[in-house]
Amino acid sequence: MTDQADFDLEAINRDLGHDAEGLVRWALSLDKKAICTTNFRPFEAVILHMVTRVQPDIPIVWMDNGYNTEATYRFVEEIRRRLDLNLITYLPKRSRAHREAIDGPVPGLDDPRHEAFTEEVKLEPFTRALRETAPEVWFTALRASDTAVRAQMQPVSRNPDGLIKVAPLLHWTPKELYQYLSAHDLPNEFDYIDPTKGEANRECGLHLQH
């Protein structure tokens, strides 16, 4: 087994930072427990296909916040069957119906309750997922074009707790994502919402905490 301290982070980002498939192969060659998180937003089939081609049984971790569109839920089932995903779903501790009966609909971004909402439906389930799956390598499909925070990230980083975070698609353009989907005949779905973000280029906090 390769120890996480045995690789040069700067060299890996320099040599493989723009080679998504090479980066996936390298990270999985470390022989460490790996997971791939997904929210099944548009183009997520790219990362899911890329990692499962190398490790078919890699745990795919999904935080289902309960507010996804019907189209997203259908897409989840389609891609799960197509790629035979080892899908592990994490839910908030309260159902959407329970939460809305007590607290009402999703609070607006300027509502002081929005932070607690985000914690309940996304951040707490993700923290629980990390605790229970205990990965050493975490694949994520975040892209530099998503937010200003992500634009400053590197394809490979190491969290303070030693978790190796790998974002193979960080530098990919929409054109490259489209081309990958077409080349591998993969489905896509644009009818997607994230109630914790409200705006496409707003951070929800997950990648700030982890």
Side-chain angles (χ1 to χ4, degrees), residues 21-189:
E21 293 177 90
L23 196 54
V24 169
R25 289 192 297 270
W26 167 80
L28 290 175
S29 76
L30 295 174
D31 195 25
K32 293 181 175 295
K33 186 176 183 182
I35 65 167
C36 177
T37 56
T38 182
N39 50 15
F40 292 103
R41 67 170 177 165
F43 301 112
E44 286 290 284
V46 174
I47 188 73
L48 297 174
H49 181 263
M50 201 173 281
V51 298
T52 55
R53 287 180 82 187
V54 181
Q55 184 181 327
D57 66 345
I58 185 173
I60 305 298
V61 176
W62 177 37
M63 277 62 65
D64 176 7
N65 57 49
Y67 289 82
N68 290 290
T69 67
E70 290 185 8
T72 294
Y73 285 116
R74 288 192 292 268
F75 175 66
V76 171
E77 290 307 303
E78 178 183 5
I79 197 70
R80 181 184 63 80
R81 290 194 300 268
R82 284 276 298 273
L83 300 181
D84 193 25
L85 298 180
N86 177 19
L87 183 63
I88 305 173
T89 304
Y90 280 84
L91 301 165
K93 292 184 176 180
R94 289 192 297 178
S95 68
R96 174 177 176 175
H98 184 175
R99 201 204 71 78
E100 292 192 343
I102 305 302
D103 296 332
V106 177
L109 295 181
D110 57 351
D111 190 317
R113 299 176 302 158
H114 195 275
E115 183 176 351
F117 169 76
T118 299
E119 175 67 28
E120 178 176 359
V121 305
K122 177 179 282 189
L123 302 183
E124 187 282 326
F126 182 66
T127 300
R128 185 165 16 110
L130 283 184
R131 184 174 65 250
E132 294 181 2
T133 60
E136 297 168 281
V137 173
W138 166 26
F139 287 99
T140 172
L142 61 80
R143 298 193 296 278
S145 59
D146 291 339
T147 71
V149 169
R150 299 176 189 192
Q152 303 302 313
M153 293 181 175
Q154 293 292 329
V156 181
S157 59
R158 188 184 289 125
N159 289 358
D161 60 2
L163 177 63
I164 301 167
K165 186 174 179 180
V166 185
L169 308 179
L170 188 69
H171 298 303
W172 277 38
T173 64
K175 181 179 180 181
E176 289 173 305
L177 295 166
Y178 272 117
Q179 289 174 335
Y180 189 97
L181 292 177
S182 298
H184 297 283
D185 190 29
L186 294 168
N188 203 15
E189 179 54 62

